[in-house]
Amino acid sequence: MLDDFLVRAALAGLGVALAAAPLGCFVVWRRMAYFGDATAHAAILGVALSLLLSTSIFAGVLVVSLMMATLVSLLSGRGYAMDTLLGVMAHSALAFGLVAVSFLSGVRIDLMAYLFGDILAVGKGDLALIGGGALLVVCLVGWRWSALLTATLDGDLARASGIDPGREQLVLTLSLAVVVAVALKVVGVLLIAALLIIPAAAARPFCRTPEIMALLAAVIGAASTTGGLQAAYWLDTPTGPTIVSLAAILFALSSLAGQLKRRMSRAEPSSAAPPLSAAGTEQPTPGRCRAP
């Protein structure tokens, strides 16, 4: 069964989608979109160094992505606005990586495959790495889920609860580096951040708890990867961009459905009294999951 390249591609896409979903929720909640971009763009530099040193590309990308994410975390709050710092580092990492690739003499490299992904070329070894990396991220985020939520909600509250926000930031940093390393083959450097953010953003209007948002983001991400893979096969289009395009369409539909839902809620009669608790006090009506 795994000899079929479409089956391997579908399994690889599902693995990346499942790993990116819960992490993407924290990226959305913490407004870390540029953080994901900076880490992903550093992957090209990791590819160049791996080819130069004749080492595993996965290991090189993982190490460089982790170094970039750690560097961004250390430099944040040192006199620069976060969006400025991340913008400079994201584009600088990509530029240095592309320049480093140009110095590789005697090495044939398909740069487009690294920039936009080449999911159809996933082999059994790649599939094992993607599956192992996805499992590691899901287990790590699941293990630290409650602490990550508390640190995301309020740093002072986390410290009062005995949780170190810096440690939880390190967990996110490690998880993000692993996702970048495993997603490089699927959607490429330029589209990894999109696969992190778009499914989580599309799930946001329909959730009431963080856990539901993470699960729905995983479903949307899986639908985007498998549907995008099938659409690319039918339309003969680049697979990585097709996957992200389908995710963007689902986000647009989600936004329209969310707006329609809000309009219908406002149109309903507001004369009904809110539900009361056993003590006779009004209970708040649960709203959208804007943040944990």
Side-chain angles (χ1 to χ4, degrees):
M1 179 186 237
L2 289 179
D3 290 335
D4 187 342
F5 71 97
L6 284 177
V7 175
R8 291 197 299 269
L11 292 176
L14 288 174
V16 171
L18 293 178
L23 193 59
C25 291
F26 285 103
V27 169
V28 170
W29 290 331
R30 289 174 174 242
R31 296 174 175 86
M32 293 170 56
Y34 262 126
F35 188 88
D37 268 335
T39 307
H41 288 177
I44 285 293
L45 184 58
V47 170
L49 293 178
S50 298
L51 295 174
L52 181 64
L53 301 175
S54 300
T55 59
S56 167
I57 290 180
F58 175 83
V61 170
L62 179 61
V63 170
V64 173
S65 298
L66 184 58
M67 290 175 59
M68 174 60 73
T70 304
L71 182 62
V72 170
S73 298
L74 292 175
L75 291 179
S76 61
R78 299 293 178 88
Y80 293 98
M82 178 59 74
D83 58 343
T84 302
L85 177 65
L86 291 176
V88 169
M89 299 196 69
H91 297 94
S92 299
L94 180 59
F96 279 116
L98 293 175
V99 170
V101 167
S102 68
F103 283 110
L104 296 174
S105 59
V107 178
R108 296 185 62 184
I109 177 173
D110 184 3
L111 193 56
M112 294 296 290
Y114 290 109
L115 290 177
F116 298 104
D118 191 10
I119 190 174
L120 297 180
V122 169
K124 292 182 180 180
D126 298 321
L127 190 58
L129 284 175
I130 291 172
L135 182 62
L136 174 63
V137 170
V138 171
C139 291
L140 185 60
V141 175
W143 173 48
R144 303 301 303 171
W145 181 260
S146 179
L148 284 169
L149 286 177
T150 305
T152 299
L153 180 63
D154 191 315
D156 293 334
L157 177 62
R159 293 185 188 90
S161 303
I163 298 171
D164 183 5
R167 182 182 59 196
E168 305 312 318
Q169 177 68 30
L170 183 61
V171 171
L172 285 179
T173 298
L174 176 61
S175 301
L176 187 60
V178 174
V179 168
V180 167
V182 301
L184 181 67
K185 193 81 172 181
V186 177
V187 291
V189 168
L190 299 182
L191 302 177
I192 291 174
L195 198 60
L196 276 169
I197 298 168
I198 295 178
R204 198 171 187 177
F206 303 103
C207 68
R208 294 189 176 184
T209 66
E211 292 78 12
I212 292 177
M213 181 171 169
L215 290 174
L216 186 54
V219 171
I220 294 174
S224 300
T225 53
T226 54
L229 178 63
Q230 191 66 49
Y233 181 74
W234 286 340
L235 302 174
D236 192 23
T237 54
T239 310
T242 304
I243 289 173
V244 175
S245 296
L246 180 57
I249 292 173
L250 294 178
F251 170 75
L253 295 176
S254 168
S255 299
L256 290 175
Q259 291 179 6
L260 180 61
K261 181 180 177 181
R262 289 193 295 272
R263 289 182 180 179
M264 292 178 63
S265 299
R266 288 197 295 264
E268 291 177 356
S270 57
S271 57
L276 300 179
S277 65
T281 58
E282 294 182 358
Q283 290 284 356
T285 302
R288 295 189 306 159
C289 180
R290 296 185 178 272

